[in-house]
Amino acid sequence: MMSYLKTTPTREGYFGEYGGASLPPPLEPHFREISEAYDRLSKSAEFIRELRYIRKHFQGRPTPVSYLRNLSQKLGGAQIYAKREDLNHTGAHKLNHCMAEALLAKHMGKTKLMAETGAGQHGVALATAAAYFGMECEIHMGEIDIEKEAPNVTRMKLLGANVVPVGFGGRSLKEAVDSCFQAYVPQADTALFAIGSVVGPHPFPMMVRNFQHVIGIEAREQFLEMTGELPDMVAACVGGGSNAMGMFAGFIEDAEVELYGVEPRGTSSNLGDHAATITYGQDGEIHGFKTMVLTDENGDPAPVHTLASGLDYPGVGPEHAHLYRTGRAKYTWADDKEALQAFYDTSRYEGIIPALESAHALAFALREAPKHPGRSILINLSGRGDKDIDYVTETYGFGA
């Protein structure tokens, strides 16, 4: 019997009823070209060898799993562990698929990489990949996020990227995606739109998951080596959901491991105050694929809010919608207040300053650990918080 990852999605890019590709006719041949190139190159010994070399000798993989001893002892209950993607080069999981997408682009003869970014981690990772491979790089970023994530904007520019401010609509991640798609259409012959999560038209949800799968492969092996057993609970933050799918993919065949996606509930459950798509959304379409979406009274993608710019998206990866509908993964939330407290607590008690995105998964672990003595929780610490320290301290201070 073939494994879940071998059979999902379908050839048309569907995870159950979600996914697919709804594209304007001018883009159809370009996405077909990407899909065919991925099918061919991902099974190529040369491509795999080159990617493994990059991961080991440039990215610094494997990243470790750390036992969060101090928080575990302070809380009592479950033991908390973290997969340390903050120690991946550039400070987050994003480089896992960016280097792979750039390598794919090189083999396809492309000369430019384009992308949207929210928190800036994907933008920094793609700018890094472009510099490594000697390509041009164009990053679209909402004006609100440019202001919140100034350190990452500086890093992108230092790496040689052209950062395009997006000033329409909510001036955040959704609009950055819209802007990048518009700019990509006339450049598709020479550029690759390296979508930054497990979202977008097929093949990107599958492709990004598979490139991020390295997180789950490493984490499963490392946890077994550390403890002699699998974790009871595996959790990761979910905006689009690439870090979560990378982690979940390593455990998806292990029925005894509970998978938890942690969405951003922002400041309240009112529409416009959060970005918890699975918790409060409904089936719909966004950016060329079917998934669950937060919509307004007109059926359009709704405005969203979260402390964490990288989770600020009114849709979710189609595979997450599928895992929710089938019950293989559970989806919960952490609000801004809980995430901020987890940010402070992990910094103070563990000596790890987490990204605000990752702080949502940590908030889940801190909330759940006291309820589950004798169990273990493994979270994906998807990025470091260097990019967030100015925003957090200027807005909220240094914590209690």
Side-chain angles (χ1 to χ4, degrees):
M1 181 175 166
M2 292 184 75
S3 70
Y4 169 88
L5 295 176
K6 292 281 189 183
T7 57
T8 313
T10 65
R11 291 294 300 169
E12 294 75 32
Y14 281 93
F15 303 86
E17 60 191 284
Y18 301 106
S22 178
L23 293 161
L27 283 181
E28 287 178 1
H30 297 290
F31 273 73
R32 192 180 311 117
E33 178 194 18
I34 294 167
S35 186
E36 289 171 355
Y38 172 77
D39 285 345
R40 182 178 72 256
L41 292 167
S42 65
K43 299 294 186 286
S44 154
E46 179 188 357
F47 183 91
I48 293 166
R49 183 170 60 248
E50 195 169 353
L51 185 57
R52 284 177 174 170
Y53 178 91
I54 289 166
R55 284 176 170 170
K56 181 176 181 180
H57 298 286
F58 182 67
Q59 292 183 229
R61 301 203 70 88
T63 60
V65 165
S66 294
Y67 171 45
L68 304 188
R69 177 183 293 104
N70 296 332
L71 284 172
S72 297
Q73 291 178 351
K74 177 177 182 288
L75 293 163
Q79 303 303 298
I80 305 171
Y81 295 79
K83 176 61 171 166
R84 300 290 306 281
E85 288 302 289
D86 59 312
L87 298 179
N88 194 30
H89 180 45
T90 74
H93 70 290
K94 295 291 187 181
L95 199 63
N96 298 331
H97 70 257
C98 284
M99 293 304 292
E101 286 178 329
L103 181 60
L104 184 72
K106 185 192 89 165
H107 281 270
M108 293 173 69
K110 306 291 186 183
T111 58
K112 183 175 183 176
L113 300 172
M114 300 178 66
E116 82 301 334
T117 196
Q121 287 299 134
H122 178 60
V124 168
L126 199 68
T128 299
Y132 182 94
F133 287 105
M135 295 179 176
E136 289 182 71
C137 186
E138 181 179 312
I139 304 295
H140 293 246
M141 189 172 189
E143 288 177 346
I144 288 175
D145 297 331
I146 285 175
E147 187 176 341
K148 280 175 69 177
E149 307 290 0
N152 272 349
V153 178
T154 300
R155 293 167 79 194
M156 284 184 270
K157 291 180 177 178
L158 281 170
L159 290 161
N162 173 29
V163 180
V164 179
V166 179
F168 60 85
R171 299 183 297 135
S172 191
L173 182 55
K174 175 194 171 292
E175 289 75 24
V177 177
D178 294 337
S179 176
C180 195
F181 260 116
Q182 291 166 13
Y184 170 63
V185 174
Q187 303 182 67
D189 286 335
T190 58
L192 178 76
F193 185 175
I195 293 174
S197 191
V198 286
V199 298
H202 180 66
F204 282 92
M206 172 189 69
M207 197 163 73
V208 173
R209 176 199 72 188
N210 290 349
F211 288 147
Q212 289 292 348
H213 186 196
V214 65
I215 299 172
I217 292 171
E218 289 177 4
R220 189 180 188 281
E221 183 180 315
Q222 290 163 328
F223 198 91
L224 271 170
E225 184 181 348
M226 290 176 78
T227 69
E229 59 186 21
L230 293 175
D232 296 301
M233 305 159 75
V234 168
C237 64
V238 174
S242 59
N243 90 91
M245 275 319 311
M247 181 65 118
F248 289 0
F251 298 92
I252 205 152
E253 306 280 357
D254 300 306
E256 69 273 27
V257 177
E258 299 172 14
L259 306 177
Y260 290 88
V262 187
E263 297 192 300
R265 193 172 179 262
T267 55
S268 84
S269 60
N270 296 330
L271 197 64
D273 288 348
H274 63 82
T277 304
I278 290 178
T279 305
Y280 298 111
Q282 57 192 3
D283 291 356
E285 187 171 307
I286 187 171
H287 293 134
F289 66 103
K290 294 178 181 177
T291 187
M292 296 180 74
V293 187
L294 290 167
T295 55
D296 61 20
E297 63 276 8
N298 300 316
D300 297 320
V304 288
H305 163 81
T306 161
L307 190 70
S309 294
L311 305 179
D312 205 8
Y313 188 61
V316 69
E319 190 164 11
H320 284 294
H322 173 63
L323 293 178
Y324 167 70
R325 292 296 187 199
T326 60
R328 178 60 189 96
K330 300 172 185 175
Y331 292 81
T332 182
W333 51 262
D335 60 27
D336 282 358
K337 186 177 179 181
E338 291 174 301
L340 190 63
Q341 192 60 52
F343 175 92
Y344 289 131
D345 286 351
T346 308
S347 300
R348 294 266 173 87
Y349 291 101
E350 295 294 345
I352 300 168
I353 302 174
L356 286 172
E357 292 77 17
S358 314
H360 286 73
L362 285 158
F364 167 83
L366 302 189
R367 186 173 71 209
E368 293 298 317
K371 305 174 189 175
H372 300 285
R375 304 190 82 200
S376 57
I377 302 173
L378 172 62
I379 66 108
N380 192 11
L381 207 163
S382 54
R384 63 175 175 242
D386 302 30
K387 66 184 179 59
D388 298 312
I389 56 175
D390 291 343
Y391 168 71
V392 168
T393 55
E394 289 168 11
T395 309
Y396 302 100
F398 289 87

